[in-house]
Amino acid sequence: MPADPLHRAGKPQRSTTSQPPSGLGASAIEVRRSARRRRTVSAYREGDRTVVLIPARMSEAEEKRWVTVMLNKLAAQESRRVLGDAELAERAERLSAQYFGGRARPASVRWVTNQNTRWGSCTPSEGSIRLSHRLQGMPEYVVDYVLCHELAHLLVPGHGPGFWRLLEAYPRTERARGYLEGVVAADRLPQVPGARDE
């Protein structure tokens, strides 16, 4: 039987799984310790789980710190990735299946550059969803929230209680709304001349 790459000869690795620190990335984190790993720390996504690889000798406090560092690093990399219209439509389809039982079926989903006062829009009669280009580069959970918001409009056109109950299915609704409110608030702050030169 071939050797398990996670448990090579020598000291066995310890693997732990936990929930992420509040406000960060994926739904679960698996920390894998390796006796062969001396200094480097790395991380990658595996489905809905984040795997963080660390040296076996690392303390619990160092482990916690490095998990946070690596989650932030992965989130930054992912936020720089820009989805094309086809990928955006596929993402909307997956979100509809996951949170709305596949009932929200947009005819089109695309980025637009003419929405500077709203994050997204939906025309239920046409089944079209448009997302502002300003969302590009924001964290994935924020883009997913806006997509879910517009998908929910395909099922409930207004912003009444039924709409918000439907949108509660997306677990990061409040977090994403807070992020977007922060972006809007930051845009309203007065620009201090020369502040960037200091």
Side-chain angles (χ1 to χ4, degrees):
M1 179 161 61
D4 178 358
L6 298 179
H7 299 94
R8 300 189 190 280
K11 267 189 172 174
Q13 292 184 344
R14 183 169 64 90
S15 179
T16 57
T17 303
S18 64
Q19 292 304 108
S22 73
L24 296 175
S27 63
I29 301 161
E30 182 176 344
V31 177
R32 296 180 186 164
R33 291 178 171 263
S34 169
R36 294 181 60 177
R37 190 175 281 269
R38 296 284 175 228
R39 288 185 297 240
T40 61
V41 176
S42 61
Y44 59 92
R45 302 278 194 216
E46 194 173 78
D48 199 25
R49 170 184 308 270
T50 301
V51 178
V52 181
L53 307 169
I54 64 172
R57 63 175 173 69
M58 198 172 271
S59 72
E60 298 268 336
E62 288 175 307
E63 175 183 318
K64 274 187 175 179
R65 184 177 73 80
W66 275 106
V67 164
T68 300
V69 166
M70 297 313 288
L71 286 175
N72 287 331
K73 192 172 186 177
L74 282 174
Q77 289 170 352
E78 290 166 352
S79 72
R80 286 191 294 269
R81 192 179 317 135
V82 176
L83 302 173
D85 288 348
E87 294 167 308
L88 200 58
E90 288 171 16
R91 190 178 203 126
E93 189 177 315
R94 281 195 310 272
L95 290 167
S96 175
Q98 187 172 1
Y99 299 111
F100 306 116
R103 295 179 299 133
R105 295 189 182 108
S108 68
V109 183
R110 62 191 174 92
W111 295 108
V112 294
T113 57
N114 62 350
Q115 289 187 359
N116 293 314
T117 58
R118 57 174 63 179
W119 298 112
S121 62
C122 173
T123 306
S125 62
E126 297 173 5
S128 61
I129 291 175
R130 294 158 306 280
L131 264 58
S132 172
H133 71 286
R134 295 179 306 137
L135 288 165
Q136 293 175 338
M138 288 190 189
E140 289 184 1
Y141 75 91
V142 175
V143 175
D144 286 352
Y145 162 72
V146 177
L147 277 172
C148 283
H149 185 106
E150 302 310 332
L151 287 166
H153 277 309
L154 292 176
L155 304 172
V156 179
H159 285 110
F163 171 82
W164 293 109
R165 271 194 303 277
L166 187 62
L167 197 52
E168 285 174 1
Y170 182 64
R172 296 181 177 169
T173 292
E174 288 307 312
R175 182 176 170 210
R177 289 185 69 185
Y179 184 98
L180 292 171
E181 287 170 6
V183 169
V184 170
D187 286 345
R188 291 182 183 149
L189 290 174
Q191 299 299 315
V192 179
R196 293 178 187 241
D197 299 335
E198 293 177 4

